[in-house]
Amino acid sequence: QVQLVESGGGLVQAGGSLRLSCVASGSVSGINFMGWFRQAPGKQRELVAITGGDRTDYADSVKGRFTISRDNAKNTVYLQMNSLKPEDTAIYYCTVDSGADSSRVGYWGQGTQVTVSS
């Protein structure tokens, strides 16, 4: 199993920045992709960014503003969020894809709240 702990959320004004961190522990050697989802009140959880190997992808709504990065030595993935907008307000969840072939399993962190005021 993999355990994920997010941190770095908070309250910021529009145009501000935050950096989220997610530290993985447990069976970290089997992790393939790491990424971030978010869920705003009354809405479905949506992909924000994901990275693994040479593959990186962002939601259209955050391209040019958010940057995902990964420190494999620290088993940590980051999400640098710049030029924040009120519509970015959500609980942000770290996720990992672990295992190979038919043994792939997804894990989720507990979430960290990001609130952007106008």
Side-chain angles (χ1 to χ4, degrees):
Q1 63 175 310
V2 176
Q3 297 177 8
L4 304 172
V5 179
E6 303 102 328
S7 62
L11 173 64
V12 298
Q13 293 186 352
S17 298
L18 286 173
R19 191 183 77 161
L20 306 183
S21 300
C22 173
V23 180
S25 62
S27 301
V28 296
S29 62
I31 294 176
N32 301 309
F33 295 94
M34 301 186 74
W36 295 90
F37 282 69
R38 67 185 181 186
Q39 187 167 22
K43 298 183 179 180
Q44 290 189 233
R45 193 172 298 185
E46 64 175 349
L47 174 68
V48 177
I50 189 168
T51 187
D54 61 354
R55 184 185 300 179
T56 302
D57 194 27
Y58 297 92
D60 289 341
S61 60
V62 307
K63 287 180 179 177
R65 300 188 298 119
F66 291 11
T67 303
I68 188 170
S69 60
R70 185 174 176 178
D71 187 336
N72 290 327
K74 297 181 179 179
N75 302 312
T76 302
V77 64
Y78 305 93
L79 185 68
Q80 179 66 47
M81 305 184 294
N82 298 325
S83 302
L84 283 162
K85 304 175 181 180
E87 50 263 44
D88 295 318
T89 296
I91 300 176
Y92 284 70
Y93 296 91
C94 180
T95 186
V96 304
D97 172 79
S98 182
D101 301 321
S102 62
S103 299
R104 290 176 59 190
V105 178
Y107 297 93
W108 297 90
Q110 82 289 343
T112 184
Q113 177 71 48
V114 172
T115 303
V116 184
S117 62
S118 60

